[in-house]
Amino acid sequence: MANALAEPAKTALFKAEIVPHLRAAYNLARWLVHNPDDAEDMVQESYLRAYKYFDGFRGMNSLAWLLIIVRTTCYTWLHRNRFQEASTVFDEDLQSRVIEMINPETLMLKGADDMLRQLLEELPVEFREALVLRELEGMSYKQIAEVAGIPLGTVMSRLAQARRHLQRRLSNVPTKEY
């Protein structure tokens, strides 16, 4: 292929442009597939795909380009392995009953990180994805729309719904009186 980079140049450019985003790739995969081992597999597969198709990378935002690949890889895997999880409808009443059944003392002992992680895990995958990309990866709404392949308004709607859910859930958590 005449336009393809020579292998050493391709590898060097790949290392410079794509490899630095490994943490972000894992973070997104982890939140999408819910399992650290599966997330590592998804990232590995995504990096293999990214390298294979790196000749098609045209200098766009390298983080967005990689996360599109990670997202596609994860959703394909979810569809094959856990389709019901990816398409589960969020049932707020059920989630509220579950949290009420937890002993308040147990909730008090849980760290803030564990509680936030649990609340994020409850979100439908598309809301969790938007929130992770915005709040944990610091991506702009436009970048999220690009990565997720959805309109900007949908990004804003998903983020608003995810934040509203987290706010409601956090306001139901008992707090210690001083």
Side-chain angles (χ1 to χ4, degrees), residues 1-13 51 54-55:
M1 175 184 250
N3 292 341
L5 291 170
E7 203 64 29
K10 177 181 175 179
T11 302
L13 189 57
Y51 188 78
F54 193 63
D55 289 334

Side-chain angles (χ1 to χ4, degrees), residues 24-25 28 62-72 133 139 147:
L28 178 60
S62 59
L63 175 61
W65 186 79
L66 175 64
L67 292 183
I68 289 169
I69 295 169
V70 171
R71 180 182 185 273
T72 302
L133 291 174
M139 295 184 85
V147 168

Side-chain angles (χ1 to χ4, degrees), residues 5-174:
L5 291 170
E7 203 64 29
K10 177 181 175 179
T11 302
L13 189 57
F14 185 84
K15 284 180 181 178
E17 291 288 332
I18 306 301
V19 172
H21 303 303
L22 184 61
R23 184 199 55 79
Y26 175 78
N27 196 28
L28 178 60
R30 171 64 180 91
W31 283 108
L32 292 179
V33 300
H34 292 286
N35 179 296
D37 295 330
D38 292 336
E40 287 175 5
D41 291 345
M42 295 301 98
V43 171
Q44 183 176 6
E45 185 173 335
S46 297
Y47 267 78
L48 289 171
R49 288 180 183 181
Y51 188 78
K52 179 178 180 180
Y53 297 106
F54 193 63
D55 289 334
F57 176 70
R58 301 285 185 245
M60 66 184 281
N61 180 320
S62 59
L63 175 61
W65 186 79
L66 175 64
L67 292 183
I68 289 169
I69 295 169
V70 171
R71 180 182 185 273
T72 302
T73 302
C74 289
Y75 276 105
T76 300
W77 183 85
L78 283 169
H79 182 73
R80 285 188 197 137
N81 296 288
R82 295 190 228 161
F83 181 76
Q84 66 281 1
E85 179 182 345
S87 63
T88 300
V89 176
F90 181 71
D91 183 344
E92 187 171 335
D93 291 332
L94 175 62
Q95 296 299 328
S96 294
R97 287 192 305 268
V98 168
I99 197 72
E100 289 168 7
M101 292 178 353
I102 297 174
N103 181 332
E105 288 179 344
T106 304
L107 276 178
M108 294 295 290
L109 296 174
K110 273 180 133 314
D113 288 344
D114 289 342
M115 188 182 322
L116 181 57
R117 185 173 290 111
Q118 177 186 352
L119 294 175
L120 283 171
E121 294 283 347
E122 292 175 2
L123 290 172
V125 69
E126 61 273 5
F127 295 157
R128 187 172 55 243
E129 171 187 55
L131 202 58
V132 166
L133 291 174
R134 176 68 184 147
E135 303 302 338
L136 300 181
E137 296 306 325
M139 295 184 85
S140 70
Y141 288 21
K142 183 179 177 183
Q143 290 172 320
I144 296 168
E146 183 180 345
V147 168
I150 56 176
L152 192 60
T154 304
V155 170
M156 292 187 283
S157 173
R158 287 180 181 177
L159 285 169
Q161 289 179 43
R163 289 174 179 147
R164 201 168 32 252
H165 168 75
L166 289 178
Q167 184 178 22
R168 279 193 302 255
R169 300 289 281 125
L170 287 170
S171 67
N172 287 339
V173 175

